[in-house]
């Protein structure tokens, strides 16, 4: 842990050193700072410019730079925080940065990013929507050549559209007959068939994504962030039309904690699975972000014929389900709904609850 923290300090020190070099350059040469770095660091011009831009970003956010230097957050989290707050004005940035730094210091990157998106949306929803519109203009398709006759096709598009597209590919791939291909290989083959206009050998089915929002959004009283399962918060406006025509489940939440307590649906599936997925949106292994609807429902205490209850069931991705079953890792459900893991070395780690609604302000 100390060695990892030292990496952050080194990055912060490098940013300060780089900015000193930049400031010492003649103003007419500063625009060519990336070219100055090329022979010094044996990097490309593009890399040199990126290093300069990154250092400038860190210097412009001293609270983030200090947290990086202290080892509280790493470089990835530091740059993510800077990127997320960039949509806010200076006053709101000053409010958001300490909150996001404190959260990132105790959570992994994905959880920290999800928290940052939600917080920025709550702080200034209009600014976040403007940011989304700007980012949406950057949608594209790119092809990258790989070794051994392979290529990578990268598609950048809005998160909601991507969730629908992936769900379609995944449903078709899972419906294919069992053969020697892995699920990832099937998804790749299905995606290629769809993009090239070929017939798929399995029924496509109805695509489905899960959105969570307060009823006051639907009634037009609020525009609180909408939670897209497997992604995180989105501005309510960008999914309003789709949501209006969707199939809705009513999830009652505890007004004090915001945790899911009861669920009803127009097309019910097993009620326990629905409630568990609503209460625990992801795999309950610390740091795992696999969406609950793609997880196994695990009996934390081994099944005894009577304990298939919400209190004993938790979502676990297949990997962590196997880890719990076949290794010396163990877990426990506490009465308050928290989930605790014990590592092989005996260290106890608590999985933090993630409410799907904001607790009542009283």
């Amino acid at each position: 842990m100390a060695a990892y923290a030292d990496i952050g300090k080194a990055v912060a020190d490098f940013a300060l050193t780089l900015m000193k070099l930049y400031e010492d350059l003649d103003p007419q040469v500063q625009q060519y700072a990336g070219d100055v770095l090329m022979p010094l660091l044996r990097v490309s011009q593009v890399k040199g410019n990126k290093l300069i831009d990154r250092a400038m970003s860190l210097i412009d956010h001293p609270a983030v730079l200090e947290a990086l230097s202290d080892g509280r957050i790493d470089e990835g989290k530091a740059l993510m925080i800077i990127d997320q707050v960039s949509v806010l004005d200076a006053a709101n940035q000053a409010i958001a940065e300490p909150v996001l730094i404190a959260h990132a210091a105790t959570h992994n990157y994905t959880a920290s990013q999800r928290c940052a998106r939600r917080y920025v949306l709550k702080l200034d929803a209009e600014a976040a929507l403007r940011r989304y519109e700007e980012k949406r203009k950057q949608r594209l398709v790119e092809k990258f050549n790989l070794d051994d006759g392979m290529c990578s096709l990268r598609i950048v598009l809005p998160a909601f559209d991507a969730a629908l597209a992936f769900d379609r590919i995944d449903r078709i791939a899972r419906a294919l007959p069992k053969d020697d291909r892995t699920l990832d290989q099937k998804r790749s083959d299905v995606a290629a068939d769809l993009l090239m206009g070929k017939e798929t050998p399995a029924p496509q089915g109805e695509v489905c994504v899960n959105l969570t929002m307060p009823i006051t959004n639907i009634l037009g009283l609020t525009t609180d962030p909408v939670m897209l399962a497997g992604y995180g918060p989105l501005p309510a406006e960008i999914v309003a039309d789709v949501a209006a025509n969707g199939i809705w489940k009513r999830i009652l939440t505890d007004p004090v904690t915001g945790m899911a307590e009861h669920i009803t649906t127009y097309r019910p599936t097993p009620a326990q699975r629905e409630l568990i997925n609503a209460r625990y949106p992801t795999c309950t292994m610390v740091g795992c972000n696999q969406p609950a609807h793609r997880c196994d429902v695990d009996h934390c205490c081994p099944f005894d014929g009577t304990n298939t209850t919400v209190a004993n069931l938790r979502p676990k991705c297949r990997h962590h389900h196997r880890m719990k079953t076949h290794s010396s890792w163990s877990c426990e459900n506490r009465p308050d709904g928290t989930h605790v893991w014990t590592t092989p070395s005996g260290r106890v780690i608590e999985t933090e609850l993630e409410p799907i609604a904001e607790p009542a302000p009283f």
Side-chain angles (χ1 to χ4, degrees):
M1 291 173 65
Y4 189 64
D6 286 343
I7 297 174
K9 185 177 187 308
V11 171
D13 289 345
F14 179 68
L16 291 168
T17 302
L18 205 53
M19 282 299 93
K20 185 178 185 309
L21 180 147
Y22 179 83
E23 291 166 0
D24 288 343
L25 294 175
D26 185 279
Q28 292 182 333
V29 181
Q30 286 181 344
Q31 62 180 311
Y32 303 108
D35 298 270
V36 174
L37 294 181
M38 286 174 63
L40 288 177
L41 304 182
R42 305 295 192 273
V43 296
S44 66
Q45 182 190 45
V46 172
K47 175 71 171 180
N49 287 331
K50 285 183 178 180
L51 290 173
I52 294 290
D53 291 342
R54 191 170 297 180
M56 285 182 172
S57 296
L58 289 169
I59 297 300
D60 288 343
H61 296 267
V64 177
L65 181 66
E66 181 181 3
L68 177 63
S69 182
D70 291 346
R72 284 176 282 154
I73 58 176
D74 59 24
E75 182 182 14
K77 291 178 183 177
L79 296 175
M80 178 275 293
I81 291 171
I82 291 171
D83 180 59
Q84 290 295 324
V85 303
S86 64
V87 68
L88 302 173
D89 58 31
N92 280 326
Q93 284 189 15
I95 295 171
E97 284 184 6
V99 175
L100 302 186
I101 289 169
H103 186 276
T106 57
H107 295 77
N108 69 14
Y109 180 92
T110 303
S112 301
Q113 186 182 52
R114 191 163 53 238
C115 170
R117 289 177 184 148
R118 186 186 302 116
Y119 194 84
V120 169
L121 274 168
K122 287 182 60 180
L123 206 57
D124 192 339
E126 290 186 4
L129 182 59
R130 289 195 302 271
R131 174 191 174 91
Y132 164 78
E133 293 296 343
E134 286 300 317
K135 292 288 186 178
R136 186 174 178 275
K137 295 176 183 176
Q138 299 174 18
R139 59 193 186 279
L140 52 81
V141 177
E142 293 179 305
K143 180 175 74 71
F144 298 96
N145 294 329
L146 304 176
D147 293 334
D148 305 314
M150 301 297 287
C151 276
S152 172
L153 190 65
R154 176 174 177 260
I155 305 174
V156 177
L157 66 164
F160 185 76
D161 294 341
L164 290 171
F166 182 84
D167 187 76
R168 184 184 183 196
I169 292 168
D170 184 63
R171 284 173 183 268
I172 297 172
R174 291 178 183 274
L176 293 174
K178 186 174 182 179
D179 54 31
D180 60 351
R181 292 177 295 174
T182 66
L183 183 57
D184 280 335
Q185 290 169 343
K186 288 181 177 179
R187 290 193 190 111
S188 177
D189 295 343
V190 168
D193 286 346
L194 291 173
L195 288 171
M196 292 187 290
K198 297 181 180 179
E199 292 292 329
T200 57
Q204 298 182 14
E206 181 182 7
V207 295
C208 175
V209 295
N210 294 320
L211 298 170
T212 303
M213 71 174 73
I215 189 67
T216 49
N217 276 28
I218 301 173
L219 298 176
L221 302 177
T222 61
T223 56
D224 292 341
V226 174
M227 299 298 293
L228 174 60
Y231 178 81
L234 293 172
E237 292 85 349
I238 71 176
V239 294
D241 293 339
V242 178
N245 298 313
I247 298 169
W248 286 101
K249 300 177 180 68
R250 183 183 66 178
I251 303 174
L252 301 181
T253 59
D254 185 315
V256 176
T257 65
M259 297 300 295
E261 291 297 331
H262 181 68
I263 188 165
T264 56
T265 177
Y266 296 129
R267 293 184 182 178
T269 55
Q272 288 178 323
R273 176 74 190 232
E274 292 281 354
L275 179 55
I276 290 165
N277 287 1
R279 183 175 286 182
Y280 305 98
T282 64
C283 169
T284 46
M285 172 59 188
V286 179
C288 183
N289 296 289
Q290 182 71 263
H293 65 276
R294 294 202 183 106
C295 291
D296 299 334
V297 177
D298 171 53
H299 287 76
C300 189
C301 294
F303 178 64
D304 62 7
T306 64
N307 60 356
T308 302
T309 63
V310 171
N312 188 44
L313 300 174
R314 294 293 183 273
K316 291 186 179 68
C317 69
R318 184 60 55 83
H319 173 80
H320 289 120
H321 192 175
R322 288 173 175 166
M323 182 182 78
K324 174 248 181 178
T325 304
H326 300 297
S327 77
S328 52
W329 283 78
S330 62
C331 63
E332 175 190 359
N333 296 330
R334 289 179 173 171
D336 63 358
T338 55
H339 193 63
V340 177
W341 285 86
T342 302
T343 71
S345 64
R347 182 185 176 193
V348 176
I349 309 173
E350 180 177 306
T351 301
E352 184 173 328
L353 293 172
E354 186 173 344
I356 65 168
E358 293 296 325
F362 50 78

